[in-house]
Structure formats: C-alpha cells, structure tokens
Amino acid sequence: MTKTIDIHTHVLADATIKLMQKEIPSLGLKMTPFDADNALCEVAGVPYRPFPRGGHDIERRLKDMDATLVDMHLLSVAPQTWLYDQEEAVGVTGSQIQNDEIARLVKEMPNRFDGIATLPMQAPEKAAAELRRAMTKLGLHGAMIGSNVRGKNLDDPSFEPIWAAAEELDAFMMIHPGNVAGMDRLRSYYLNNLVGNPLDTTIAAACLIFGGVLERHPKLNFIMSHGGGFIPYQGARWVHGWQVRPEPKVNVKHSPAPYLDRFIYDTILHAKAPAEWLVSTVGANRVLLGSDYPYDMGMMDCVRFVQSLDISEADRAIILGDEAAKILAKKRKVA
C-alpha cells in the first residue's frame, strides 16, 4: 500500500518560536491566537493573519494529517520566517534554528515527518554552507527557497555557490513564491496571492532556464510550487520565443525545451481538469502530492483530490507517495 507523502507543507512550531524569541529578540516574533483555530503571526513588525493552528501546534497537525489520509509531511519553514530582508547574521541564525528544529521533529517522529531546510539566501556563501550542514549533519533532503531574494531573480550570479552545492549534494530544491512581482497592480482582491504567487514561480523558472542555471548545472532539478504556476501551460511559448528572438539566446545556446523537463510540480491546482492535464502532459513521476498545509490557500484534502482524478491506479500511486519516497530515499545524506 502506498505511503502518502505530502511534499509541500510548512511549520513554525511552538518550540521553534520560543527558541527564536530567545536567540533573535530583535525579530519580535509573536504567535498570538485569536480563536481556537487561528493566530496572528508577527515577524519584524509584519503581521500575517490567519496563521492556522496546525502550523505551530504539532498535535493539531498530526490530527489534521490523520483526517486527510496523509501519512507523512515533508516539513519546510513558513515563508514568513525566511528572513531574507534581515541582516546576514539574523538570516544565518534563523535558518540554523529552524533547520535544527525540523531535524528534531523528524528524529522524534520519523514515520510522520521528513524535512527540507531554509537558507539565508541574502548571504549565498553562507547559504551554501547551511545547505551542506543541513543535508550532511541533520539529514534534511534539500531546501525550500524563495522565487526571488530581495527582488533579485534566481539567475543572479551571486547565487552560483548555492546551485553548485545543491547539484553536488543532489538536493531536493523547492521554489516557493514570495515578495511577488507587480505588487503595484496586485493590491486588491488578494491578487498578490491569487495571481502573484503563480506569476513569481513562473518568473523564477524562466530565469533558471534563460539565465543558464540549468545549463550550467545539468544534474540540478527544481520542484515548482502550486502546480508550477504558468510554466506547464506557457512553456512552449518560451521555446518559440527562443527560436525567433535574439534576447533569450544570450545565455542559452540551445533550445530551452529540454530544460522544461527538469521541473517537478505539486498537485495544488484546485480543480481536476488542470491536474489531469498536468499528469498527462509531464507524466505522473513529475507530479508530487502537495497541500500547502496549513494555509487557507492550500488543498488540505489533497489525498482524496488525487484519488478523484481520472488517471490510472499506477499513476495515482506514483503521485500519492511512491515517487516522493524514491526521491527522498535517494537524497538522504545521513542516517
């Protein structure tokens, strides 16, 4: 029987909050419940509401996992605690604390949790070192990073140490949107998330291709959040543009078509038709179960969603956990 593995989940556990409050008081990190299920999360004076209880209360998380038929969460940090806008020292300390805490949860409950790291991306050399520590010392599988860092796209030359380390370590690298582009036009109607999140994931993917990152690092692959944004649907446009325009050829001397095959996607698409199309287009082994737990824009009932798709039983098993189990087993660096 397939072990269901949700590869897109976030955690900021109560124990982690206490440690960060003690070690980085300047952050002013607070988690203030306002009802039985939700809290106000504040980081460096920036509020986020609602922060669902399962994001910080591990017992609640386990109950939610059971209710939604999820056997294992691949834990990553809350994007609110990336800390990219903070000083380097704060970013490094914050990353180390959170990675240590994810590793602790995995060690305490190895049948329910596995994990990937967060990195101080504003300090690329230190981020590469933290990725190495997280994978070789803590047993984490890679990292979740933002779709941009302080507005820098991911093809910026300063990030090369990170890509080199990730390729060497065979890291599970997830791109998650944040600090999204076009905010001057996305302030209404929650468009910053509804449109901005998939848009920024798409920008990140295009920069990884056209900036030559994937060409320079042929063993490096990326998991793209929220069904990959607009990548699967518009990828052919990128190929056509490379064929007819000089600008996309500046760093990439060959068609970008093969690089599109280096992206893996989660199932967070909110409707059967696009999910079924994604599976039929890229193959089940490039689509992994994801919920975006615990956030309200996620798909908490992700297992039943995949079970409802009009796909083969073999493909269903691959998506629900078989492929993730294979990837994570391959990428584990320490016992």
Side-chain angles (χ1 to χ4, degrees):
M1 185 175 178
T2 295
K3 181 176 185 176
T4 57
I5 303 174
D6 182 348
I7 59 94
H8 185 162
T9 80
H10 304 283
V11 66
L12 178 58
D14 290 329
T16 308
I17 293 170
K18 290 179 181 178
L19 276 174
M20 293 180 73
Q21 288 170 336
K22 177 183 177 183
E23 299 296 331
I24 321 175
S26 62
L27 275 181
L29 177 59
K30 299 177 184 176
M31 188 73 70
T32 309
F34 59 82
D35 62 29
D37 297 311
N38 299 284
L40 169 66
C41 178
E42 297 178 75
V43 183
V46 178
Y48 179 84
R49 175 184 176 130
F51 194 96
R53 179 175 165 184
H56 64 94
D57 182 332
I58 299 302
E59 289 304 314
R60 175 61 176 269
R61 175 182 289 262
L62 293 168
K63 290 177 182 177
D64 289 345
M65 291 170 67
D66 291 341
T68 54
L69 310 180
V70 175
D71 295 320
M72 175 175 282
H73 272 180
L74 183 68
L75 302 173
S76 63
V77 304
Q80 291 79 19
T81 56
W82 279 337
L83 309 179
Y84 296 164
D85 290 335
Q86 301 296 312
E87 295 179 359
E88 285 189 10
V90 171
V92 170
T93 299
S95 294
Q96 291 173 343
I97 290 171
Q98 293 185 91
N99 295 339
D100 288 346
E101 283 292 287
I102 286 177
R104 178 184 61 80
L105 288 169
V106 173
K107 186 176 181 179
E108 289 178 356
M109 288 172 272
N111 292 327
R112 304 311 304 268
F113 298 140
D114 217 327
I116 53 178
T118 188
L119 306 177
M121 293 292 289
Q122 68 270 52
E125 292 283 357
K126 293 176 181 177
E130 180 59 16
L131 178 62
R132 190 175 303 280
R133 185 186 80 92
M135 293 187 69
T136 63
K137 303 298 184 184
L138 302 181
L140 303 184
H141 296 281
M144 178 192 71
I145 61 174
S147 50
N148 68 87
V149 180
R150 295 180 172 178
K152 281 185 181 180
N153 285 326
L154 296 183
D155 60 329
D156 189 280
S158 65
F159 299 131
E160 274 300 302
I162 301 168
W163 309 141
E167 182 177 38
E168 177 192 339
L169 294 162
D170 192 23
F172 183 101
M173 299 297 288
M174 175 181 284
I175 304 297
H176 194 287
N179 185 37
V180 301
M183 276 302 297
D184 57 323
R185 296 178 59 201
L186 298 176
R187 300 189 187 283
S188 300
Y189 319 122
Y190 204 48
L191 294 184
N192 63 300
N193 190 304
L194 305 185
V195 174
N197 274 13
L199 170 62
D200 225 71
T201 299
T202 306
I203 294 171
C207 289
L208 290 170
I209 290 178
F210 292 113
V213 174
L214 293 179
E215 185 170 82
R216 291 191 297 275
H217 301 284
K219 296 180 181 179
L220 188 57
N221 300 313
F222 289 91
I223 294 85
M224 311 307 286
S225 301
H226 312 121
F230 313 133
I231 304 164
Y233 184 65
Q234 291 290 351
R237 183 178 180 87
W238 301 357
V239 175
H240 175 80
W242 183 89
Q243 292 169 340
V244 302
R245 297 290 308 183
E247 297 92 339
K249 294 186 175 76
V250 171
N251 298 306
V252 180
K253 306 307 179 186
H254 306 283
S255 170
Y259 302 126
L260 289 165
D261 295 337
R262 304 261 295 277
F263 296 131
I264 301 168
Y265 307 100
D266 64 26
T267 57
I268 305 170
L269 286 162
H270 300 281
K272 291 175 61 176
E276 290 166 353
W277 179 86
L278 181 64
V279 174
S280 68
T281 302
V282 307
N285 64 327
R286 288 173 53 205
V287 182
L288 304 179
L289 183 70
S291 68
D292 211 352
Y293 184 94
Y295 296 118
D296 56 6
M297 281 299 295
M299 293 181 63
M300 299 306 102
D301 218 4
C302 57
V303 172
R304 292 186 180 93
F305 173 72
V306 172
Q307 290 172 339
S308 75
L309 299 181
D310 186 13
I311 58 177
S312 71
E313 285 300 319
D315 282 353
R316 202 181 327 276
I318 289 170
I319 295 167
L320 286 174
D322 286 355
E323 185 67 19
K326 189 188 306 181
I327 291 172
L328 296 177
K330 176 184 174 185
K331 294 184 186 301
R332 183 169 292 285
K333 295 299 176 182
V334 298

